[in-house]
Amino acid sequence: MPPRYNHAQVQEYWRDVWEREGVYELPDDAEDPIYVLGMFPYTSGSLHMGHVRNYAITDAYARYRRMAGDDVLHPMGWDAFGLPAENAAYERDTDPETWTRACIERMRDELDEMGFGYDWSREVTTCDPDYYRWNQWLFREFYEAGLVEYEAAPVNWCPDCETTLADAQVEGGFEEGATTPRHTAPRQAAPGTEGVCWRCGTPVERRELDQWFLTITDYADELYEALDHLEGWPESVREIQRNWIGKREGAHVTFEVPEYGSVEAFTARLDTAFGATFVALSPGHELVADLAREDAEVADYVDRVSRGESAGGQSGVRTDATAVHPLTGEKLPVYVAEYVLDDVGTGALMGVPAHDERDHAFAREHDLPVERGVEPADGSDTRLPEEPFVDDGMVAASGGAAREYEGLASAAARERLLDAEGIELATTFRLRDWLVSRQRYWGTPIPVVHCDSCGPTLVPEDELPVELPEYVQTTGNPLAANEAFVETTCPDCGEPARRETDTMDTFVDSSWYFLRYLSPDLDDAPFDTDLAESWLPVDVYVGGEEHAVLHLLYIRFFARALCDLGLLDVREPVDRLINQGTVLHGGEKMSKSKGNTVTPHEYGPETTRLFVLSAAHPNRDFEWTATSVDGAYEFQQTLYGLVETFVDGDVREESAAHDRYLERETDRTIAAVTEEFERFRLHRAIAELQGYLRLLRRYREYETPHRYTYARALRTLAALVAPLAPYLAEECWHRLDEPGLVAAADWPNPLRPAENHRLERQLVRSTREDVREILGVVDIDAPDSIELVVAQDWKYAAYDRARGIAPDASLVDALLGNDGVPRSEPAAEFLADLAERRPGLEPVVDGERERELLQSAAWLLEDEFGASVTVRRAEDDDDDLAARARPNRPAIYIS
Ligand code: ANZ
Ligand code: ZN
């Protein structure tokens, strides 16, 4: 019974050594380190499987790059502000800070126990005044650069809790994300909210409140266009961002509205303009305020909608105003309609019931005419007026002003109509400005003072940070209830004034934390601009796809804004993005709310690490299954067992053919594992190692192992496993008496170039399969001998020629009788066969290499079938066998 590996006995020891040696600290002289970053966790209290997967990926990669000789920056920190801490404090009768600090302590221990190697000297905690003062400082900079706005905006309001609610806190609540902080959503409230407060169940109201915004829309176009160049990001994420930003080319159509001025409508289908039969305005459109003043019905409708009491869908009200169609001069009725959104386009649209679903439904409801603007270009029928025809076509013959466009294809009409009076090219974006105000305690105070005479005024730089006062339990916003905090004087005029009591959305904190890691203690700037210049962009960023918009868009926005402030020179902060998939259990996302969690420590840290990495490609979902977890456990035990028995076991000095095979397989495994690490296919790296481990076990059972060959194999295995199971690897390294720490060791190198490793393996594998297959067919129970006959040299030459020859050349004619190819029946057959398979001919290893390889792999056949194995050249063999041998497909004779 080999000794068992017990991680619990060794992990503390190795952690101490790593720390003492400073293995994971970035060297002081690092010039351009590889920056490996995992999305920092929200301080929820304990690590869950999503975290472990996320950080197992970054840790494996960071360790690999460090062993490969790079300086690696692999930091960790805490996304420590946020609403859940306030709720936890409320429920447990403590305060958010105490609660959060306790969470951090626990989570840091858990990360340590998992063996993740971070440079803890760079730890960043967003609720530290030393961190959030820089949020405030940046807010000032943004403000002065015109990137901050203060505006009235509609929000969800719970009258009982006396606070605003994020959309995600109305009805339902949140999804628990892998590394997702339960941030409050940064969007404006959804229109027509009908939900209840998630906390107290009170129906939610809509309110207009003065709110702070960051004008991310200033960068909408750049953020959109640059997505095309983000080649290191998954296309799925780029597509989500494209949709979120929602760039849309179209036109503004100006309708004169007698007595009221004019209305500009955004349309994406200018070609349908001749089918417009009404104009519709959003309830918040500026003209609607004027209309409501004169028309009680309009006023009433707007009021009902703003209270969230509307009839929804097709509801709307006709106004007294009419709009003059700029192309036809026709007078169209003007409606106020709820389906027209305030914050899309201009908040006004031209209604074209014949070609748009929503307009069609609205026209039905309000008895408006349906007029054809375009028709199918192929003259086919439509189902108008019952159903709209929404496809492109050509401008319909409707006479009048349309005459000059009749028959034009939709795309051409959209171009041509841009020249008409009252029409202008326009681009709209779906992206809204970022609402950063939160009526919460546990966040960064917005550094503003409200003064009756000076208005909102920035807190001067030398008064930062505006620190959070001590927490006091209240309903609503504890900051607003704290008079000592609120009452202050105006920095401009010195008169009594009130402090802003909103705090920042915690997504602000996470928009630049990766810059703070560069110089976490810097006290005269948020980050070191020179260091950023040489260390950024982040080389690899790993996190969940739920951050595809929001966080991953905000960091792109911040980087650009910081560049324009002269603080940074990298507009795109992340080079390569990996979105790790979800861990499922019982077919559903593992989460506390579903009650299907497995805690990371249940199985021991390395079993968990190995399993989450081996189960699937990092970007795929996978199902947690206990049996596969056992596999990860057994892998460690087998590996450790081999090392232990080697340490105490016999060795052989004389070397044999099968030692050569192991040497070569060691090289091949190094090459393959390296390649998989480079490509982030960690699951395949582990599969390689599992295969190699099986081979080693077999090698040892076959014969007393060779001293050097076997020692090298075990040492290599320990090194290759080190990024994945660091305690185990360290323990093995130590037992093997290798110098220093494996965590700081060099990544192994092949002795001989191993670039053909896949071909070589394929040859050995297919030969073994062929033998098995033949044995199955000929029905020999216990074969005495297996003979492998390697093809004649000329066949390799012909094969290479065949791969190179243009497909239309006649191969048989070109080669028969030339270049050592004999003029014989079997040779002609061989060439004809090559010709047939030519487009798919895979590369092969040459004849001499093939012979060597098969010779060194003969022991595997011997071992498997209990027969003696010989490898011969076809040149030395009888015609029949020789004729059957092909490059990398030896003829096989079994007796
Ligand atoms: C006329 C038209 C005809 C339109 C037609 C579409 C089809 P998408 O296409 O989703 O990008 N629109 C404009 N402003 C709006 C607002 N504030 N609220 C709601 N809808 C608005 O959206 C662009 C289209 O949405 C615009 O093109 C406009 O309707 C409508 F056959 O104009 B369209
Ligand atoms: Zn003032």
Side-chain angles (χ1 to χ4, degrees):
M1 192 60 190
R4 308 293 283 172
Y5 169 62
N6 185 345
H7 65 86
Q9 281 168 7
V10 304
Q11 61 189 25
E12 218 173 276
Y13 175 79
W14 288 119
R15 269 206 311 274
D16 284 350
V17 178
W18 290 333
E19 199 189 314
R20 202 167 55 235
E21 305 279 319
V23 176
Y24 308 117
E25 279 174 30
L26 182 68
D28 288 337
D29 59 355
E31 272 173 16
D32 183 12
I34 301 292
Y35 193 165
V36 182
L37 185 66
M39 290 181 184
F40 68 165
Y42 174 67
T43 48
S44 60
S46 51
L47 288 189
H48 55 69
M49 208 52 85
H51 291 123
V52 171
R53 190 176 188 198
N54 192 158
Y55 305 140
I57 296 166
T58 49
D59 194 52
Y61 191 70
R63 287 174 179 275
Y64 157 66
R65 293 300 295 251
R66 192 178 297 112
M67 291 175 75
D70 292 302
D71 289 329
V72 174
L73 173 58
H74 186 221
M76 187 37 87
W78 311 103
D79 190 11
F81 271 141
L83 177 60
E86 280 179 73
N87 297 330
Y90 185 84
E91 280 156 23
R92 281 158 240 246
D93 209 17
T94 171
D95 63 275
E97 166 127 32
T98 307
W99 160 258
T100 302
R101 299 278 168 197
C103 289
I104 290 175
E105 290 310 311
R106 188 158 61 241
M107 291 172 78
R108 196 194 296 102
D109 283 350
E110 288 175 334
L111 288 175
D112 268 345
E113 195 182 334
M114 291 306 298
F116 297 137
Y118 296 116
D119 182 346
W120 284 114
S121 70
R122 297 173 181 278
E123 182 174 3
V124 158
T125 305
T126 59
C127 68
D128 281 344
D130 278 346
Y131 184 85
Y132 68 72
R133 69 179 286 199
W134 298 111
N135 282 342
Q136 296 171 340
W137 187 89
L138 288 168
F139 184 91
R140 283 180 50 93
E141 296 287 308
F142 277 40
Y143 189 98
E144 269 153 14
L147 289 168
V148 176
E149 269 173 14
Y150 189 54
E151 261 181 23
V155 292
N156 304 304
W157 177 261
C158 172
D160 194 53
C161 299
E162 295 178 56
T163 183
T164 57
L165 299 173
D167 290 351
Q169 296 155 354
V170 178
E171 266 180 354
F174 312 92
E175 262 298 285
E176 252 179 79
T179 48
T180 323
R182 296 153 125 227
H183 290 293
T184 48
R187 281 174 296 132
Q188 277 152 274
T193 309
E194 282 152 9
V196 296
C197 171
W198 68 308
R199 192 167 17 204
C200 67
T202 308
V204 168
E205 297 174 358
R206 303 258 286 156
R207 279 212 179 171
E208 289 265 318
L209 283 186
D210 290 329
Q211 305 273 292
W212 294 96
F213 292 86
L214 301 186
T215 58
I216 186 173
T217 52
D218 290 1
Y219 291 91
D221 201 39
E222 190 193 336
L223 288 169
Y224 184 91
E225 294 299 329
L227 287 170
D228 286 347
H229 309 293
L230 272 183
E231 272 146 27
W233 285 38
E235 179 51 28
S236 59
V237 173
R238 294 194 277 168
E239 193 55 21
I240 291 170
Q241 292 209 356
R242 272 187 205 105
N243 289 331
W244 185 261
I245 298 170
K247 180 173 179 176
R248 198 85 159 104
E249 309 266 4
H252 281 166
V253 181
T254 304
F255 294 84
E256 295 302 327
V257 182
E259 288 170 52
Y260 290 95
S262 65
V263 165
E264 226 178 39
F266 174 77
T267 176
R269 290 291 308 275
L270 186 56
D271 54 311
T272 67
F274 293 107
T277 58
F278 65 97
V279 166
L281 309 176
S282 71
H285 193 277
E286 56 175 358
L287 203 80
V288 173
D290 296 344
L291 292 163
R293 223 166 287 128
E294 325 221 319
D295 188 332
E297 216 185 320
V298 173
D300 186 50
Y301 178 73
V302 172
D303 201 42
R304 277 196 341 256
V305 172
S306 72
R307 286 201 310 267
E309 292 168 15
S310 78
Q314 278 82 266
S315 84
V317 60
R318 184 168 182 154
T319 71
D320 292 337
T322 51
V324 182
H325 195 306
L327 294 169
T328 64
E330 263 177 284
K331 291 202 169 66
L332 307 182
V334 176
Y335 280 77
V336 180
E338 201 189 341
Y339 82 99
V340 187
L341 305 175
D342 279 341
D343 53 9
V344 171
T346 58
L349 58 79
M350 63 176 195
V352 188
H355 305 298
D356 181 81
E357 300 278 2
R358 292 161 303 177
D359 295 349
H360 188 264
F362 188 81
R364 276 292 160 100
E365 182 77 19
H366 297 270
D367 275 329
L368 288 158
V370 177
E371 270 169 34
R372 180 185 314 256
V374 296
E375 58 195 14
D378 60 7
S380 60
D381 287 342
T382 65
R383 308 191 53 188
L384 284 170
E386 273 66 43
E387 278 175 29
F389 168 65
V390 300
D391 298 337
D392 272 6
M394 62 183 189
V395 176
S398 54
R403 188 156 299 139
E404 107 178 72
Y405 304 93
E406 275 170 19
L408 264 187
S410 285
R414 283 194 286 269
E415 293 265 310
R416 276 273 297 280
L417 282 163
L418 286 174
D419 298 334
E421 186 85 9
I423 293 175
E424 266 175 12
L425 182 67
T427 304
T428 64
F429 295 90
R430 190 175 161 260
L431 184 68
R432 301 295 97 203
D433 278 336
W434 174 8
L435 195 169
V436 295
S437 295
R438 294 291 178 275
Q439 292 69 35
R440 299 291 178 198
Y441 169 79
W442 196 228
T444 304
I446 291 177
V448 165
V449 165
H450 295 277
C451 167
D452 286 338
S453 29
C454 310
T457 306
L458 286 176
V459 174
E461 193 180 335
D462 59 11
E463 286 175 27
L464 299 183
V466 177
E467 278 198 55
L468 282 172
E470 211 172 299
Y471 177 74
V472 184
Q473 190 94 60
T474 56
T475 56
N477 181 351
L479 285 184
N482 187 327
E483 274 178 30
F485 177 79
V486 173
E487 282 171 16
T488 183
T489 51
C490 171
D492 274 3
C493 68
E495 293 297 310
R498 283 155 290 109
R499 225 177 251 297
E500 172 64 65
T501 56
D502 284 354
T503 52
M504 293 183 202
D505 179 8
T506 58
F507 274 99
V508 173
D509 314 352
S510 52
S511 291
W512 66 280
Y513 76 108
F514 57 95
L515 292 162
R516 189 68 184 165
Y517 284 139
L518 308 186
S519 44
D521 303 319
L522 198 65
D523 61 7
D524 59 358
F527 57 90
D528 185 320
T529 294
D530 292 336
L531 277 186
E533 195 163 317
S534 35
W535 293 8
L536 281 204
V538 171
D539 291 273
V540 185
Y541 196 22
V542 182
E545 195 180 45
E546 63 272 22
H547 294 285
V549 281
L550 309 185
H551 173 61
L552 288 172
L553 190 60
Y554 295 147
I555 58 170
R556 299 183 61 227
F557 160 53
F558 254 63
R560 287 171 167 78
L562 294 171
C563 283
D564 293 341
L565 290 171
L567 295 170
L568 192 65
D569 72 343
V570 180
R571 296 185 89 76
E572 212 51 86
V574 171
D575 201 32
R576 186 166 174 187
L577 176 73
I578 309 276
N579 278 134
Q580 101 263 10
T582 309
V583 184
L584 309 170
H585 197 197
E588 286 191 285
K589 180 171 183 166
M590 215 184 248
S591 79
K592 255 194 233 145
S593 58
K594 302 233 169 65
N596 63 352
T597 51
V598 175
T599 67
H601 302 281
E602 240 163 82
Y603 289 85
E606 298 187 289
T607 304
T608 305
R609 287 179 68 141
L610 280 168
F611 174 62
V612 297
L613 293 178
S614 66
H617 188 286
N619 64 23
R620 292 290 162 87
D621 297 350
F622 72 84
E623 173 75 23
W624 182 274
T625 53
T627 47
S628 327
V629 180
D630 289 346
Y633 180 77
E634 281 314 316
F635 173 80
Q636 298 164 76
Q637 296 303 342
T638 308
L639 200 168
Y640 186 72
L642 287 187
V643 168
E644 282 297 318
T645 48
F646 169 73
V647 170
D648 303 326
D650 290 341
V651 288
R652 173 169 49 87
E653 306 292 337
E654 214 103 317
S655 100
H658 72 289
D659 297 326
R660 287 207 303 282
Y661 182 80
L662 180 57
E663 281 295 358
R664 193 63 194 147
E665 194 56 27
T666 302
D667 283 356
R668 287 194 285 259
T669 302
I670 295 168
V673 170
T674 306
E675 190 179 319
E676 302 301 7
F677 267 100
E678 285 298 335
R679 301 175 65 172
F680 268 88
R681 297 194 299 206
L682 304 178
H683 62 306
R684 291 177 60 160
I686 293 174
E688 281 291 339
L689 293 171
Q690 282 166 332
Y692 186 58
L693 187 61
R694 277 195 299 274
L695 177 74
L696 284 184
R697 196 161 55 177
R698 196 147 168 212
Y699 171 88
R700 204 195 46 144
E701 281 162 11
Y702 180 71
E703 212 193 317
T704 307
H706 185 264
R707 179 192 299 274
Y708 296 114
T709 303
Y710 191 49
R712 172 176 177 244
L714 290 173
R715 172 172 75 232
T716 301
L717 182 56
L720 296 179
V721 127
L724 308 158
Y727 297 127
L728 171 70
E730 209 64 84
E731 190 63 17
C732 291
W733 194 253
H734 172 69
R735 297 292 293 146
L736 290 166
D737 223 2
E738 294 296 331
L741 293 168
V742 73
D746 289 343
W747 191 247
N749 274 316
L751 291 181
R752 285 194 292 163
E755 68 268 17
N756 273 344
H757 65 273
R758 296 199 188 277
L759 282 183
E760 296 183 0
R761 282 184 171 167
Q762 180 54 33
L763 166 64
V764 173
R765 189 180 314 125
S766 64
T767 306
R768 292 170 66 187
E769 276 163 12
D770 286 350
V771 171
R772 273 180 220 130
E773 198 169 302
I774 294 169
L775 280 171
V777 175
V778 300
D779 202 23
I780 302 178
D781 266 356
D784 284 335
S785 71
I786 300 171
E787 293 163 61
L788 306 176
V789 179
V790 175
Q792 300 89 326
D793 284 343
W794 64 262
K795 286 188 178 165
Y796 294 86
Y799 191 98
D800 277 352
R801 286 281 309 272
R803 295 188 72 229
I805 280 175
D808 58 336
S810 163
L811 189 79
V812 183
D813 291 349
L815 293 181
L816 204 59
N818 299 321
D819 295 329
V821 180
R823 202 173 271 287
S824 71
E825 183 102 344
E829 265 170 40
F830 173 77
L831 293 175
D833 180 56
L834 276 190
E836 197 166 301
R837 297 190 309 140
R838 189 169 49 199
L841 287 180
E842 300 291 336
V844 291
V845 302
D846 67 35
E848 191 171 326
R849 192 81 198 96
E850 178 176 342
R851 219 157 41 238
E852 269 173 33
L853 270 170
L854 291 177
Q855 234 133 27
S856 72
W859 68 284
L860 290 171
L861 289 171
E862 244 173 76
D863 191 38
E864 182 173 347
F865 303 107
S868 71
V869 178
T870 50
V871 181
R872 293 201 305 272
R873 292 155 48 101
E875 277 86 348
D876 309 331
D877 216 290
D878 71 66
D879 287 350
D880 193 32
L881 268 180
R884 273 191 280 137
R886 308 169 44 80
N888 287 203
R889 200 81 199 260
I892 298 170
Y893 182 70
I894 302 179
S895 59

